[in-house]
Amino acid sequence: MPSSAHVELIGIGLVPAAVATTRAILAHRPSRVVNLGSVGALDPSISGICYPSAVINRDINADERRAAGLRIDDRIELGGDGPVLGSGDSFVAGGPARDQLLRRCQIVDMEGFAVAHACRALGVELLMIKHVSDAADEAAVAWKDVVDRSARALADAYAEVAS
């Protein structure tokens, strides 16, 4: 890792991620944030390292809010041609909710939208690098058992973009 890099553990969930990202940006004034994290893949053809093209807030009831006449900001374009990341506070571990999400996104996490929102609000470039750790199914609850593999893959991916 470059000596100029600052590592910030942002926690799990949208609110902790938004607060930690905002604090880190204000404290360190980076020109770019690189967000590394594990994701569940809803689409079985996605594995390994991926670079999301967009991130959505998957837990917000956007259609209902739009119907009420409210302006909703639930999607942030990141560029590129990778999968769409759906972020939310709910843990995706199979079932009908997982199947419904596949219509909106291909991978899921619990922080990406908050990080992207903070970066956009503060005018900081964002590069998001994600590693598929599970299939966002019933086995996803064993995330702690496979997170080390994701951390190693993400470190390698970061080394490539940091050089």
Side-chain angles (χ1 to χ4, degrees):
M1 178 175 329
S3 60
S4 61
H6 173 80
V7 175
E8 185 74 31
L9 299 177
I10 61 172
I12 297 173
L14 294 174
V15 172
V19 171
T21 302
T22 300
R23 282 185 177 156
I25 290 171
L26 294 176
H28 301 285
R29 303 288 182 193
S31 59
R32 177 171 80 159
V33 166
V34 179
N35 173 242
L36 306 171
S38 63
V39 293
L42 303 175
D43 180 334
S45 71
I46 300 172
S47 63
I49 293 292
C50 50
Y51 299 84
S53 59
V55 59
I56 64 168
N57 182 342
R58 63 177 163 81
D59 280 349
I60 195 167
N61 57 351
D63 292 338
E64 290 83 356
R65 291 182 184 201
R66 282 186 188 99
L70 301 173
R71 182 176 176 271
I72 302 302
D73 182 17
D74 64 339
R75 182 183 178 101
I76 298 173
E77 298 297 327
L78 301 173
D81 58 1
V84 173
L85 170 63
S87 298
D89 284 315
S90 59
F91 193 81
V92 180
R98 179 193 185 281
D99 299 337
Q100 290 175 351
L101 275 174
L102 188 52
R103 289 181 280 193
R104 299 172 49 213
C105 57
Q106 295 80 46
I107 56 176
V108 292
D109 78 352
M110 298 176 75
E111 301 80 29
F113 185 82
V115 172
H117 195 277
C119 288
R120 184 181 64 185
L122 296 171
V124 177
E125 177 189 350
L126 172 63
L127 172 61
M128 202 171 271
I129 306 173
K130 299 297 182 175
H131 180 261
V132 175
S133 61
D134 58 77
D137 58 10
E138 294 77 15
V141 294
W143 173 82
K144 288 174 117 178
D145 298 335
V146 297
V147 72
D148 187 61
R149 180 175 46 108
S150 286
R152 292 176 192 283
L154 289 164
D156 291 343
Y158 178 76
E160 288 180 24
V161 300
S163 55

